[in-house]
Amino acid sequence: MEENITVTLRYGLTNTVTRSFPEDTTVSDLLADRSILAALSAPESVSAVANGVTLDGSNMLHGLGTITLEQQASSKA
């Protein structure tokens, strides 16, 4: 039986949501979930940061208790 992982997601100073995810959920899966972004009033172009490190999309959520979503800087060349 697959276990769920509970993660607290933060965006901005006051927006926080705690959700349970299947154990095999990746950071990319989380960032693709529009309901989470809407609940946090976060834009689509965010990156996930945990313990001061920007997470790669292939990172699993396991072991990450809190993830902060930060708006990505727009790149203009």
Side-chain angles (χ1 to χ4, degrees), residues 14-76:
T14 58
N15 299 347
T16 302
V17 161
T18 299
R19 295 258 173 104
S20 290
F21 299 94
E23 199 170 67
D24 61 349
T25 304
T26 64
V27 171
S28 288
D29 296 333
L30 180 141
L31 294 178
D33 189 331
R34 293 179 186 262
S35 68
I36 292 172
L37 297 179
L40 291 169
S41 299
E44 289 183 24
S45 59
V46 292
S47 56
V49 178
N51 301 319
V53 177
T54 301
L55 303 172
D56 185 79
S58 62
N59 285 115
M60 304 299 271
L61 298 184
H62 187 72
L64 302 173
T66 301
I67 296 175
T68 302
L69 302 181
E70 296 182 352
Q71 189 165 4
Q72 294 176 347
S74 59
S75 57
K76 293 182 180 179

